[in-house]
Amino acid sequence: MANISNSKVYSELIGSRNFEYFILSKKFQRLNTNYKKLLHFYDIFNKSLIFLLSLQRAMRSGNETETTDFILLGFFPEFKHITAMVSIILLIYVAAFTGNTLLILLIWLYSHLHTPMYFLLSQLSLMDLTLTSSIVPMMAANFFSGWRSISFMACGTQIFFSLTVAIAECILITLMCFDRYVAICDPLRYPVIINPKVCLQMIAMSWAGGALTSLGHTAFTLHFNICSPREIPLFFCEVMAVLRIVCEDITAYEKAVVITSIVVLLLPLSLILSSYVLIFLAVLRMNSPEGRNKALATCSSHLCVVGLYFGPGMCIYMRLGSAKTPKLNEGLFLFGTVLTPLLNPLAYSLRNKEVLSALKKLMGEVSVLQVQVKTARSTGITLTDSTHMHISGTAKGHEGTDSAIYVN
């Protein structure tokens, strides 16, 4: 009788887990559909960029026999221990890739992180992964292989993607600040104002704004005549680095870059700082010390990220003579493309109890699963599908028994 009652309890538990898993799977299917739409939109811009670059190459002189490839000089060529530096950069890249991937996984798995703030944060981590993965692996491959040449098309594509992600990050961080402003200053209306549809619109706005701005700058930068030997004093193709080897007067275009930077960097930064003044005033009026500490922890993490993203960008793009200071730009680009993607997940995990608790849960569940697998292998017992469903339901933040069901 005891075995029958236990089986009944397990059956009811598994049935409820199946239903909850079904509901969550439907939600993620809708999110997946929206992601596919965004990726389709992004693919259209990529094809448009390739078409524009091909058109520019066709408009060049038909009798031109010299190569249109660029040569990447790498970073700090006079540095003696360059191999050690590249190895360190690769280690940082692996750590950044792991940290951002883990943060996205935690937000996807645990239901208490299924909020607009963490959904936007997962997009920021995705942008970090895209930015650093489009630059660092190619840089390391070129260094260790000794191959420094990059084609005109590949250079244009790298400019487009890196600039798209950088601008999209600035827009997204500004929208994340608006999310925090509504959550703290108008908490009762927060679920209505920041709903899932608005979150998707924020993400689409970030990617679309970055892609449109990047498409214009990429096409305009590469239409200039490039001086031989076409050597770019940087470890990847970038607008300011390419402008440095242009044979024409680019004063007007540099002013246009500064104006764009004001719109993309200075204006959002002003809105962010103004919002945080109102946020801190609202925090000071809170009666609950616990709520005040939680709000300050979240906002301080966001302000750290704001400084990491906007600081180097303003130093590079908001100076008229920026193209003439390659060494300074090189250091700032190294910081922005390698260190910032590493520091972003650290800023949001080490100072955030919800993320830390999710990480501890994941580590505990992985340890339990490893023990169960070892036990199953040693005794010749296999896990049923219901056990996997139970583990999946537990991973999504629901409480339940930690025991698994085994059958011979």
XYZ file of all heavy atoms in Angstrom, residues 181-217:
278
model
N 14.095 53.214 -13.903
C 13.383 54.429 -13.473
C 11.916 54.112 -13.183
O 11.378 54.506 -12.144
C 13.497 55.498 -14.561
C 12.600 56.690 -14.326
C 12.927 57.662 -13.388
C 11.409 56.829 -15.045
C 12.088 58.747 -13.165
C 10.578 57.913 -14.831
C 10.913 58.859 -13.889
O 10.086 59.934 -13.671
N 11.265 53.377 -14.089
C 9.862 53.028 -13.891
C 9.704 52.089 -12.705
O 8.770 52.238 -11.900
C 9.283 52.385 -15.173
C 7.829 51.957 -14.943
C 9.352 53.360 -16.334
N 10.617 51.113 -12.557
C 10.517 50.134 -11.476
C 10.623 50.788 -10.102
O 9.955 50.355 -9.152
C 11.600 49.078 -11.632
N 11.427 51.831 -9.971
C 11.659 52.452 -8.668
C 10.746 53.646 -8.430
O 10.198 53.825 -7.333
C 13.141 52.868 -8.543
C 14.026 51.616 -8.551
C 13.390 53.671 -7.270
C 15.501 51.905 -8.580
N 10.529 54.460 -9.460
C 9.748 55.692 -9.283
C 8.252 55.486 -9.497
O 7.449 56.292 -9.022
C 10.264 56.775 -10.237
S 11.968 57.262 -9.906
N 7.870 54.456 -10.224
C 6.441 54.198 -10.457
C 6.191 52.688 -10.404
O 5.777 52.063 -11.396
C 6.029 54.757 -11.820
C 4.517 54.893 -11.959
O 3.801 54.548 -10.991
O 4.047 55.331 -13.022
N 6.428 52.057 -9.259
C 6.376 50.583 -9.174
C 4.997 49.988 -9.426
O 4.890 48.867 -9.925
C 6.862 50.289 -7.750
C 6.595 51.547 -6.989
C 6.759 52.667 -7.960
N 3.926 50.705 -9.088
C 2.589 50.158 -9.256
C 2.220 50.003 -10.735
O 1.482 49.086 -11.106
C 1.560 51.052 -8.549
C 1.696 51.150 -7.012
C 0.643 52.071 -6.446
C 1.580 49.759 -6.380
N 2.716 50.871 -11.569
C 2.403 50.807 -13.003
C 3.484 50.080 -13.801
O 3.398 49.989 -15.026
C 2.221 52.222 -13.555
C 1.048 52.978 -12.950
C 0.950 54.361 -13.544
N 0.782 54.305 -14.987
C 1.065 55.318 -15.812
N 1.559 56.444 -15.317
N 0.877 55.192 -17.111
N 4.497 49.578 -13.112
C 5.620 48.929 -13.809
C 5.182 47.748 -14.677
O 5.594 47.656 -15.839
C 6.666 48.485 -12.779
C 7.859 47.768 -13.386
C 8.855 48.485 -14.035
C 7.976 46.383 -13.300
C 9.950 47.846 -14.592
C 9.069 45.736 -13.853
C 10.048 46.464 -14.495
O 11.115 45.817 -15.056
N 4.344 46.814 -14.176
C 3.945 45.682 -15.035
C 3.170 46.118 -16.271
O 3.173 45.406 -17.282
C 3.074 44.825 -14.103
C 3.450 45.236 -12.718
C 3.777 46.686 -12.815
N 2.483 47.252 -16.193
C 1.708 47.734 -17.333
C 2.604 48.434 -18.346
O 2.493 48.220 -19.567
C 0.593 48.696 -16.855
C -0.196 49.236 -18.051
C -0.331 47.991 -15.876
N 3.531 49.261 -17.857
C 4.393 50.043 -18.760
C 5.455 49.157 -19.394
O 5.667 49.176 -20.608
C 5.043 51.212 -17.988
C 3.964 52.166 -17.466
C 6.019 51.971 -18.880
C 4.506 53.277 -16.589
N 6.143 48.365 -18.570
C 7.220 47.492 -19.071
C 6.677 46.066 -19.168
O 6.952 45.214 -18.324
C 8.465 47.552 -18.158
C 8.856 49.001 -17.862
C 9.636 46.821 -18.815
C 9.314 49.782 -19.076
N 5.912 45.802 -20.202
C 5.363 44.464 -20.424
C 6.222 43.729 -21.451
O 7.128 44.320 -22.056
C 3.906 44.549 -20.879
C 3.737 45.461 -22.083
O 4.331 45.238 -23.134
N 2.922 46.505 -21.929
N 5.992 42.423 -21.676
C 6.826 41.663 -22.627
C 6.869 42.271 -24.026
O 7.909 42.239 -24.680
C 6.157 40.280 -22.641
C 5.533 40.163 -21.288
C 5.073 41.540 -20.931
N 5.757 42.819 -24.491
C 5.735 43.438 -25.818
C 6.667 44.648 -25.879
O 7.399 44.840 -26.857
C 4.306 43.854 -26.178
C 4.168 44.427 -27.579
C 2.725 44.788 -27.881
C 2.613 45.392 -29.290
N 1.195 45.767 -29.592
N 6.652 45.454 -24.818
C 7.529 46.633 -24.765
C 8.991 46.189 -24.718
O 9.855 46.825 -25.347
C 7.172 47.505 -23.539
C 8.192 48.613 -23.348
C 5.780 48.093 -23.704
N 9.288 45.108 -24.002
C 10.668 44.606 -23.947
C 11.166 44.208 -25.335
O 12.295 44.536 -25.720
C 10.748 43.403 -23.005
S 10.607 43.829 -21.264
N 10.318 43.509 -26.086
C 10.703 43.120 -27.444
C 10.886 44.346 -28.337
O 11.783 44.376 -29.189
C 9.652 42.177 -28.031
C 9.580 40.788 -27.402
C 8.417 40.005 -27.977
C 10.881 40.025 -27.624
N 10.049 45.355 -28.144
C 10.198 46.598 -28.915
C 11.502 47.307 -28.570
O 12.159 47.880 -29.448
C 9.005 47.519 -28.655
C 7.702 47.027 -29.268
C 6.505 47.873 -28.856
O 6.597 48.711 -27.949
N 5.381 47.666 -29.515
N 11.879 47.280 -27.295
C 13.158 47.867 -26.885
C 14.331 47.164 -27.569
O 15.268 47.813 -28.066
C 13.320 47.766 -25.362
C 12.445 48.692 -24.555
S 12.718 48.448 -22.775
C 11.710 49.776 -22.097
N 14.274 45.836 -27.596
C 15.358 45.067 -28.216
C 15.421 45.336 -29.709
O 16.497 45.550 -30.283
C 15.160 43.574 -27.928
C 15.323 43.308 -26.430
C 16.156 42.727 -28.719
C 14.871 41.946 -26.008
N 14.238 45.336 -30.363
C 14.196 45.612 -31.805
C 14.704 47.016 -32.106
O 15.441 47.228 -33.084
C 12.772 45.436 -32.320
N 14.355 47.980 -31.263
C 14.814 49.350 -31.452
C 16.342 49.440 -31.334
O 16.998 50.154 -32.109
C 14.161 50.263 -30.403
C 14.407 51.758 -30.608
S 13.812 52.725 -29.186
C 12.102 52.182 -29.120
N 16.897 48.704 -30.391
C 18.352 48.735 -30.195
C 19.083 48.170 -31.414
O 19.996 48.805 -31.952
C 18.723 47.932 -28.950
O 18.092 48.437 -27.798
N 18.671 46.967 -31.852
C 19.332 46.353 -32.996
C 19.115 47.158 -34.278
O 20.045 47.340 -35.071
C 18.829 44.919 -33.188
C 19.379 43.938 -32.217
C 18.733 43.375 -31.156
C 20.706 43.394 -32.197
N 19.562 42.515 -30.475
C 20.783 42.497 -31.096
C 21.833 43.565 -32.999
C 21.934 41.783 -30.788
C 22.988 42.847 -32.683
C 23.029 41.976 -31.597
N 17.891 47.629 -34.492
C 17.600 48.384 -35.719
C 18.357 49.710 -35.743
O 18.923 50.099 -36.780
C 16.096 48.629 -35.831
N 18.385 50.417 -34.604
C 19.122 51.678 -34.545
C 20.602 51.480 -34.791
O 21.241 52.244 -35.522
N 21.160 50.428 -34.196
C 22.576 50.137 -34.418
C 22.870 49.763 -35.858
O 23.860 50.218 -36.441
N 22.004 48.926 -36.459
C 22.234 48.473 -37.828
C 22.120 49.615 -38.832
O 22.937 49.737 -39.752
C 21.247 47.358 -38.175
N 21.110 50.467 -38.681
C 20.920 51.582 -39.614
C 22.082 52.563 -39.564
O 22.616 52.989 -40.596
C 19.603 52.297 -39.306
C 18.321 51.598 -39.755
C 17.093 52.302 -39.192
C 18.254 51.570 -41.280
N 22.469 52.946 -38.338
C 23.588 53.891 -38.190
C 24.879 53.287 -38.704
O 25.662 53.951 -39.402
C 23.742 54.281 -36.705
O 22.493 54.713 -36.191
C 24.762 55.401 -36.548
N 25.122 52.032 -38.378
C 26.347 51.357 -38.812
C 26.396 51.198 -40.325
O 27.464 51.341 -40.940
C 26.441 49.987 -38.140
O 27.558 49.275 -38.612
N 25.260 50.909 -40.938
C 25.221 50.727 -42.390
C 25.658 52.001 -43.109
O 26.458 51.960 -44.052
C 23.809 50.328 -42.819
C 23.616 49.956 -44.286
C 24.427 48.721 -44.634
C 22.142 49.721 -44.589
N 25.153 53.151 -42.651
C 25.537 54.418 -43.268
C 27.011 54.722 -43.100
O 27.693 55.103 -44.065
N 27.538 54.550 -41.880
C 28.947 54.866 -41.633
C 29.883 53.890 -42.353
O 30.940 54.294 -42.855
C 29.231 54.841 -40.127
C 28.831 56.105 -39.427
N 29.474 57.304 -39.619
C 27.829 56.357 -38.550
C 28.910 58.248 -38.877
N 27.901 57.698 -38.217
